[in-house]
Amino acid sequence: MRCKLPEKRKVKHKKGLWSPDEDQKLACYVMNHDHGCWSSVAINAGLQRNGKSCRLRWINYLRPGLKRGSFSSQEEAILSLHGLLGNKWSRISQHLPGRTDNEIKNYWHSHLKKKVDNSNHVQVHLKLDKYAASDITSKEPSSPCLNTSNLTNSSSSDMVQLVPPASQISNLPKLLFADWINLDEFDQDFGLSSDDPLCHGSNYQLSTMEHEWQHNKGSTEGSKNQNCLYMGSDENAFHTQMTIDQLFQFNDGDFGIDNFIYM
DNA sequence: AAATACTACAACCGCAAGCGG
DNA sequence: GCCGCTTGCGGTTGTAGTATT
């Protein structure tokens, strides 16, 4: 786990967004040497970053196999997994090939959290409605917590807008653990048979990629730097990702392992 | 057209756990 | 067992782009 650094240097670490040049240096170094110890990567790659920053950049942005683009097809999976695992983003990401914990976390906070909050809001109002209906004759609530005027400032018209018809509520999809697993997607992306259990599928994917990575690395050993990422000198920050995507031949945001092998 | 608010995403920070000296 | 270091994780903040006023 620990590694010996070539030498201890007092370096003022750079912070903030990564430049295409830094990305290139990091990607080239990791692809040719493996990361090993991230602190030494930062030094050996000639980056004025700390190891932590390098690791994060590689994992979240430069690592091959990352899937970019819309989460919409995986939204239900994330919702279900979050329901099961809570804020265990790394655990969740293990079940969503090509997605990083950071990405999922961000997506949760910017998209899904609102949905869940809204749905909880609806449920609270439904419970309150139920309470009001069942206890309509009592003059004081049995519990102060259930006093609707304490809980919300919403007007009655707001309540009507928030609460969908009961028939609609009952028709909301109830997702079971197995429901969100699209094994065909695994099959398509990684050549898995659809009867593989989920955990087996994930392990297969990781180990296979690692193996192919080593294989690929070995085949290019004689020509170091040939698999370096060319990013040019374009100032556009998006250029980096575009080039990497092109390099790994992403198709519609999906990453195919075959593309990776013969890169 | 400028100012402001909002959104999405990248990156940082702090903490805990594991490991070797 | 202690200490120093690295890694990994989750929460939070910062930044850039977009929408709205």
Side-chain angles (χ1 to χ4, degrees):
Chain A
M1 202 163 186
R2 287 184 66 182
C3 59
K4 293 202 170 183
L5 297 177
E7 59 179 293
K8 201 77 172 169
R9 274 186 264 176
K10 282 267 180 182
V11 181
K12 176 100 178 161
H13 292 129
K14 191 182 167 190
K15 288 185 182 180
L17 295 176
W18 281 66
S19 67
D21 186 50
E22 287 178 308
D23 280 341
Q24 185 188 12
K25 281 181 181 175
L26 179 61
C28 276
Y29 184 85
V30 175
M31 289 175 110
N32 283 316
H33 301 89
D34 277 344
H35 59 77
C37 173
W38 285 108
S39 301
S40 61
V41 167
I43 295 165
N44 295 334
L47 294 164
Q48 291 182 316
R49 299 271 182 175
N50 62 22
K52 239 177 155 175
S53 182
C54 293
R55 176 186 158 269
L56 211 64
R57 185 64 180 173
W58 173 258
I59 288 174
N60 289 331
Y61 204 79
L62 299 173
R63 182 165 52 108
L66 287 178
K67 197 185 268 186
R68 294 272 157 184
S70 171
F71 265 91
S72 52
S73 62
Q74 295 169 308
E75 194 169 287
E76 289 189 351
I78 296 170
L79 282 168
S80 301
L81 282 165
H82 187 269
L84 286 165
L85 303 169
N87 294 358
K88 301 292 177 191
W89 308 116
S90 65
R91 295 276 305 281
I92 294 172
S93 69
Q94 284 169 13
H95 297 295
L96 297 169
R99 300 294 191 181
T100 68
D101 53 354
N102 206 32
E103 209 178 357
I104 294 167
K105 182 170 61 182
N106 282 333
Y107 187 71
W108 171 264
H109 283 124
S110 56
H111 294 88
L112 301 178
K113 197 167 184 282
K114 289 173 198 166
K115 284 191 180 181
V116 172
D117 285 349
N118 279 342
S119 119
N120 286 341
H121 199 195
V122 167
Q123 284 181 11
V124 166
H125 283 297
L126 280 172
K127 284 180 183 174
L128 291 173
D129 276 1
K130 196 177 173 184
Y131 169 79
S134 67
D135 202 26
I136 196 88
T137 54
S138 87
K139 293 187 176 171
E140 290 191 16
S142 56
S143 161
C145 298
L146 291 171
N147 186 333
T148 55
S149 60
N150 288 343
L151 271 172
T152 175
N153 292 325
S154 303
S155 66
S156 55
S157 59
D158 288 336
M159 300 266 284
V160 171
Q161 284 181 334
L162 275 164
V163 181
S167 58
Q168 205 174 317
I169 300 273
S170 62
N171 287 335
L172 288 173
K174 289 176 182 172
L175 290 168
L176 297 174
F177 187 71
D179 290 343
W180 53 262
I181 305 168
N182 186 344
L183 288 169
D184 290 334
E185 192 175 317
F186 274 124
D187 190 22
Q188 187 186 332
D189 282 347
F190 303 107
L192 297 177
S193 75
S194 59
D195 54 5
D196 279 341
L198 169 68
C199 57
H200 183 216
S202 298
N203 289 340
Y204 178 92
Q205 175 213 344
L206 290 172
S207 60
T208 304
M209 286 191 69
E210 191 177 2
H211 175 260
E212 299 300 349
W213 173 246
Q214 292 297 333
H215 173 265
N216 179 59
K217 190 173 163 253
S219 68
T220 56
E221 204 66 40
S223 52
K224 294 235 174 202
N225 294 325
Q226 280 194 354
N227 56 353
C228 280
L229 302 175
Y230 171 71
M231 280 131 196
S233 56
D234 197 329
E235 294 300 318
N236 185 350
F238 290 105
H239 184 64
T240 307
Q241 186 57 40
M242 276 296 294
T243 311
I244 292 169
D245 287 353
Q246 287 161 1
L247 187 69
F248 293 118
Q249 298 177 36
F250 277 77
N251 292 319
D252 236 357
D254 286 332
F255 176 78
I257 189 69
D258 290 334
N259 296 335
F260 180 62
I261 298 167
Y262 301 109
M263 185 174 67

